[in-house]
Amino acid sequence: MRPMRLDMAGFTVFREETTVDFTDADFFALVGPTGSGKSTVLDAICFALYGTVPRWGGTRGLANALAPSANEARVRLVFESAGDRYVATRVVRRDGRGTVKTANAGLQLMPAGFDVTKLDTGLSPEDLGEVVAGTPAEMEQAVLDAVGLPYEQFTSCVVLPQGQFADFLHAKPATRQQILVNLLGLGIYEEVQKKATERAGQAEAKLETVDKLLGGLADVDDETLAGARQRVDRMGELAEAVAVAVPELDRARATAREQAAALAERDAELAVLAGVRPPDGIAELARAVAAARVAADEAATAVGLAEEREEKLRGELAAAGDESALRLLLKAHADREKLTGQVATVRAAVAAAQTEHDAAVGALAEARAAAERAEAELDAAFRAHEEAKATDQAVALRAHLVEGGPCPVCEQAVPRVPAVPAGSAVARAIAAGKAARAASEAAKRSVQERDAAARELDRVLLRARAEHDQLRTRLTELDDQLADAAAPAALREALDEHARLRRALEEAAGAVRGGRDAARRARGALDGAEERLRRAWRDFDTTRDGLARFGPPAAERDDVAAAWTALAGWAGEQAERRRADRDGLAASVGAAEAAAAEVEERIGELFTAAGLAVADDPRRDAAVAVERAEAELRRLTERREQAAELHEQRAGHEREARVARALAGHLRANNFERWLLAEALDLLVDGASRILRELSNGQYDLVHDKGEFFVVDHHDAGLRRGVRTLSGGETFQASLALALALSEQLAGMSTSAASLESIVLDEGFGTLDAATLDTVAATLENLAARGDRMVGVVTHVPALAERIPVRFEVRKDARTARVERTGL
């Protein structure tokens, strides 16, 4: 995957429309101050393709895509992959409830030779090419098919996000193995093993089911079939008898229902008439309404007086001026006084740092001079030693004799090595040479220590000067702000007056609120009393309407209590007249129910004789019994035919289970996936070791043992060290080597068709010293010069950025971030 063009609008810090053109940027750098939005450019590439960003923590961080106060974010990425050109688009919106959702997502295959500059001419989405994916749900598979990498592999091999650069290097062996499984797609073998196990289980379950079915078919014989035929005949006779009895039962039940309905209607009338009674407390309702109306009027008058005082105080407070502006001016006075002291303190610190820096520079010069003198003395000692050896050859040869070894002159065994004479010039020259070498090494160490101290003091001095300049700038800004401002004492007096007026206003507002609460309570009491009165009339009307079929008398609407009393008296008279004929209706109901019970008993005897339980719907249940008997006969007939088919099915299920179980066993026993992982890790470490050796100028090789990573330090007699003991710069070198090797070799090792046409690094260049940074820059230049992929870095290190031909400078102001191309 190679990015060609990126368009953003409303995306995180890029509030306004921004375009980044990567068309001819084979080797580029994203530069700019910390926090300006460099990493956001890479976030936009990941978001356009996969709908998420590594530092968001998944799709639940979708709200992070929106710029502050923005309701919509749009990202569009044009990229090439395996010779084809695509455009991926995502739009995120915030709805009226504040929920952030993906409103649109799509992937299109652009026509061959499409000019990406035409995107600025207002083309409609239909003009961009064939739609490969048109919804967020379709994007995942479409992007995987186009790029060849899922999200986890893309952020490990193409765009290496900030904070995750060294994860693979420091991961535990089990975690690293799982990363390789995901990157290389080796999980497919585990899936095959699981599928085989699952299929074997399914076949065995089917085999067990067939065996159970065959076991149930063994009891189907001629006697059982004959019994089933006899039961079909008995159920037919039952259905005929029930068909005759059911109409008689229906007639008897209809008569019983009619008589019961008449009795129930009479009881209902009596219950309605007996329930007519005046409500409790009906006479006190009118007095309660009058008292509540007087209290509500008094409360409304009190609220009006309190509101007049509140409005007067509010006007006085508005005339006193802006309290926030007064407080800001008073704070500015305090900040200026504090900054004046800080400027003096920092100025003294700058002077002290300058003095200490000058002393360190002088000490460094002296150390270098001493080192030069020690080196000269070492050369003189060497020449003296050579002259002494030329003068006294015997003593010089004696220094190389070994007791029992051959003599270099006579080739005889040396029985004893004579001691070197005390006055030998050779012995004195050797001693002098050792002393001179020790002095030279000590002088070199002193130079290194003083040089490091001088560089550190130089950085301290630069920081102190920068801090002094910032404080002076802020102090000037405060002086401009306070040029026409009042003195602090006057500002405090104005703020005190504001506080007094605000307290008075709060008291008045409290009185208004209290009055309004009292008025609301009084009005509520009035409304409640009036509502009770209306409810009493509604209850009366409802009760009277319920008696309409009895012809109740008319009611006077002036006195609800009198109306209730009159209606209750009339209802009592009506109830007494209806109680007289109820006993005759009750006797008719009993006779009709007895006749229906006698027919029900006859039908129950028919079902008992047939061996069935008595049911609520005899005709339907008799028909069901016939159907069940016929179905049982058909089932017994079909079971014999099924047995032969089940035997054939059993043989097929048995073969399928045996083959699937054997495949699952082979994949589990042969450790096939573990072997592939070991081969992949060996290839990866070999490639990374080659790159690390180049980055470290031959100092380090990368090896692994039982899943752990180690470096072999050739500058320390081949010592093997764990990667967690490396310094920050060394860790970056090792991580970069692994990233480049993983990127180079993934296409050859993976089971997917990944197209690795670019790599972008967002990490760690500021931790490197000058020499290592130069080596890293040269390695990246060589990688870009091969021409097989785009190489990009995100950095704020000027020394690295200046060596990269194309630079995209990211700047951010109070409104938005912008990207400007510099360099070639």
Side-chain angles (χ1 to χ4, degrees):
M1 194 288 292
R2 179 189 180 96
M4 302 293 294
R5 171 179 170 138
L6 176 66
D7 297 296
M8 300 171 285
F11 185 73
T12 67
V13 297
F14 293 96
R15 183 190 299 271
E16 298 179 354
E17 290 190 4
T18 304
T19 296
V20 185
D21 189 353
F22 298 103
T23 304
D24 57 350
D26 294 330
F27 188 20
F28 69 89
L30 286 165
V31 299
T34 299
S36 61
K38 300 185 298 297
S39 297
T40 304
V41 175
L42 305 187
D43 292 345
I45 294 175
C46 289
F47 180 72
L49 293 173
Y50 299 98
T52 187
V53 171
R55 51 182 175 172
W56 290 357
T59 55
R60 287 183 290 181
L62 193 61
N64 296 320
L66 291 175
S69 74
N71 291 323
E72 180 180 277
R74 290 181 287 108
V75 178
R76 181 173 64 187
L77 174 67
V78 179
F79 66 94
E80 289 185 348
S81 182
D84 292 324
R85 183 171 295 179
Y86 299 86
V87 56
T89 306
R90 286 188 190 266
V91 179
V92 174
R93 291 196 184 98
R94 179 185 285 112
D95 60 20
R97 294 178 295 180
T99 303
V100 178
K101 297 181 179 178
T102 299
N104 183 32
L107 182 69
Q108 292 173 260
L109 177 62
M110 305 179 76
F114 185 89
D115 186 0
V116 297
T117 60
K118 291 184 178 179
L119 294 174
D120 298 322
T121 60
L123 292 176
S124 65
E126 292 77 9
D127 297 328
L128 298 182
E130 175 189 351
V131 176
V132 181
T135 65
E138 296 173 352
M139 281 289 285
E140 181 177 358
Q141 186 59 46
V143 170
L144 179 60
D145 294 340
V147 178
L149 293 173
Y151 169 72
E152 293 78 6
Q153 296 181 21
F154 184 82
T155 55
S156 296
C157 303
V158 178
V159 175
L160 281 67
Q162 194 175 45
Q164 301 179 14
F165 195 58
D167 285 357
F168 190 79
L169 180 69
H170 289 157
K172 295 181 179 179
T175 303
R176 189 181 299 115
Q177 177 173 319
Q178 188 58 46
I179 291 174
L180 282 177
V181 168
N182 293 336
L183 289 176
L184 302 179
L186 299 184
I188 188 174
Y189 300 109
E190 183 178 355
E191 290 298 322
V192 170
Q193 191 269 335
K194 290 181 179 178
K195 288 290 185 181
T197 301
E198 180 182 352
R199 183 167 296 181
Q202 293 172 350
E204 291 169 353
K206 292 177 181 178
L207 185 63
E208 182 178 354
T209 301
V210 170
D211 286 340
K212 289 181 179 179
L213 292 174
L214 286 172
L217 294 175
D219 59 346
V220 181
D221 51 18
D222 294 339
E223 183 179 353
T224 303
L225 288 173
R229 293 188 182 95
Q230 292 176 1
R231 182 168 181 79
V232 169
D233 295 339
R234 287 198 305 273
M235 295 303 105
E237 294 171 356
L238 171 65
E240 293 175 357
V242 168
V244 173
V246 165
E248 183 181 354
L249 176 62
D250 292 340
R251 289 191 295 273
R253 285 178 174 175
T255 302
R257 283 194 300 271
E258 292 173 357
Q259 297 298 324
L263 179 61
E265 181 179 359
R266 183 55 50 86
D267 288 340
E269 292 176 352
L270 290 171
V272 170
L273 292 170
V276 179
R277 292 189 301 275
D280 296 335
I282 193 69
E284 290 79 12
L285 274 179
R287 293 192 297 274
V289 170
R293 185 172 290 112
V294 172
D297 293 340
E298 293 176 351
T301 302
V303 169
L305 295 174
E307 288 176 342
E308 290 178 1
R309 171 168 172 74
E310 180 188 22
E311 188 62 27
K312 179 182 178 183
L313 287 172
R314 197 178 301 280
E316 293 177 1
L317 182 61
D322 187 355
E323 183 180 5
S324 299
L326 295 174
R327 292 189 182 278
L328 288 175
L329 289 174
L330 189 60
K331 183 178 182 302
H333 276 293
D335 291 345
R336 186 187 182 286
E337 183 177 354
K338 181 179 178 181
L339 277 173
T340 302
Q342 291 178 348
V343 168
T345 301
V346 174
R347 186 184 297 113
V350 170
Q354 182 66 54
T355 301
E356 190 175 355
H357 176 266
D358 294 343
V361 171
L364 175 61
E366 294 176 1
R368 286 174 174 164
E372 291 175 358
R373 290 194 298 273
E375 187 68 24
E377 291 175 1
L378 178 60
D379 291 341
F382 179 76
R383 289 192 298 273
H385 177 258
E386 293 298 322
E387 293 173 357
K389 287 196 298 182
T391 304
D392 189 354
Q393 291 292 335
V395 174
L397 288 173
R398 189 177 300 170
H400 300 286
L401 294 179
V402 178
E403 187 172 332
C407 174
V409 178
C410 65
E411 299 183 352
Q412 299 297 319
V414 178
R416 181 179 62 82
V417 179
V420 177
S424 171
V426 173
R428 288 195 303 274
I430 292 174
K434 291 181 178 179
R437 184 175 298 279
S440 175
E441 292 176 352
K444 289 179 180 178
R445 287 194 299 272
S446 177
V447 168
Q448 293 175 350
E449 293 171 356
R450 295 183 184 276
D451 183 49
R455 286 198 299 272
E456 178 61 27
L457 289 172
D458 187 40
R459 288 191 290 271
V460 171
L461 180 58
L462 288 175
R463 288 196 297 269
R465 286 174 177 169
E467 183 180 2
H468 179 267
D469 293 342
Q470 292 174 355
L471 291 174
R472 286 295 305 168
T473 300
R474 177 58 180 155
L475 188 58
T476 301
E477 293 174 354
L478 288 175
D479 288 340
D480 294 341
Q481 182 181 352
L482 297 173
D484 298 325
L491 293 173
R492 281 191 285 273
E493 289 178 1
L495 287 172
D496 292 341
E497 177 64 13
H498 261 280
R500 184 190 70 75
L501 289 173
R502 192 172 297 282
R503 288 193 297 274
L505 179 61
E506 290 175 355
E507 292 174 359
V512 170
R513 289 192 298 271
R516 288 174 178 170
D517 290 342
R520 280 194 296 272
R521 289 194 296 273
R523 186 65 197 174
L526 175 59
D527 292 342
E530 292 178 342
E531 175 59 26
R532 288 195 299 275
L533 181 59
R534 289 191 294 271
R535 188 164 57 248
W537 277 113
R538 286 196 301 272
D539 292 345
F540 175 81
D541 291 339
T542 300
T543 302
R544 190 178 182 280
D545 291 343
L547 301 173
R549 65 183 182 275
F550 303 124
E556 297 292 335
R557 304 301 294 183
D558 296 335
D559 188 350
V560 68
W564 268 109
T565 301
L567 184 64
W570 173 85
E573 295 174 357
Q574 295 293 320
E576 287 298 328
R577 285 198 296 268
R578 282 168 172 75
R579 289 192 185 95
D581 57 353
R582 184 185 181 284
D583 293 340
L585 287 173
S588 298
V589 170
E593 290 178 346
E598 189 273 333
V599 178
E600 287 179 357
E601 184 177 357
R602 281 206 317 272
I603 294 174
E605 291 173 353
L606 291 173
F607 274 89
T608 302
L612 298 176
V614 180
D616 295 333
D617 188 348
R619 183 177 294 170
R620 179 184 61 82
D621 292 338
V624 169
V626 171
E627 292 177 0
R628 288 178 178 174
E630 292 175 346
E632 177 65 14
L633 178 60
R634 288 193 301 270
R635 186 184 67 83
L636 291 174
T637 302
E638 291 170 355
R639 283 161 65 88
R640 285 188 173 181
E641 299 173 355
Q642 292 174 356
E645 296 179 2
L646 289 174
H647 280 293
E648 294 180 2
Q649 293 177 12
R650 186 184 188 286
H653 294 326
E654 187 175 16
R655 287 193 301 272
E656 183 178 357
R658 184 168 58 252
V659 172
R661 188 66 68 186
L663 175 59
H666 289 320
L667 288 176
R668 182 171 54 250
N670 293 339
N671 297 317
F672 186 58
E673 181 181 296
R674 186 179 302 173
W675 175 78
L676 286 176
L677 283 172
E679 289 295 313
L681 188 59
D682 288 341
L683 291 174
L684 177 63
V685 171
D686 287 344
S689 183
R690 172 181 53 77
I691 298 173
L692 178 60
R693 194 179 309 117
E694 180 181 355
L695 288 173
S696 62
N697 291 324
Q699 182 176 358
Y700 294 121
D701 275 337
L702 184 68
V703 297
H704 74 98
D705 185 8
K706 297 179 180 178
E708 295 287 352
F709 283 155
F710 298 89
V711 293
V712 177
D713 189 347
H714 295 295
H715 289 188
D716 194 3
L719 177 67
R720 192 167 81 164
R721 298 164 50 193
V723 293
R724 294 187 180 276
T725 66
L726 299 178
S727 65
E730 293 168 336
T731 297
F732 176 81
Q733 289 179 329
S735 300
L736 176 59
L738 271 174
L740 293 176
L742 190 61
S743 177
E744 289 178 350
Q745 299 185 28
L746 179 63
M749 295 188 296
S750 176
T751 60
S752 63
S755 178
L756 302 179
E757 298 168 313
S758 59
I759 181 169
V760 184
L761 308 176
D762 182 10
E763 180 78 26
F765 298 105
T767 63
L768 306 179
D769 57 37
T772 304
L773 184 63
D774 181 72
T775 302
V776 170
T779 301
L780 294 175
E781 289 170 350
N782 292 336
L783 184 63
R786 293 190 331 204
D788 59 350
R789 75 184 64 195
M790 171 190 287
V791 178
V793 298
V794 177
T795 182
H796 56 269
V797 179
L800 177 59
E802 290 171 358
R803 295 185 57 169
I804 297 176
V806 177
R807 295 182 292 279
F808 295 99
E809 186 170 358
V810 184
R811 296 185 179 276
K812 179 183 175 186
D813 55 27
R815 171 68 181 168
T816 185
R818 294 179 174 82
V819 181
E820 180 180 357
R821 177 168 173 164
T822 61
L824 298 179

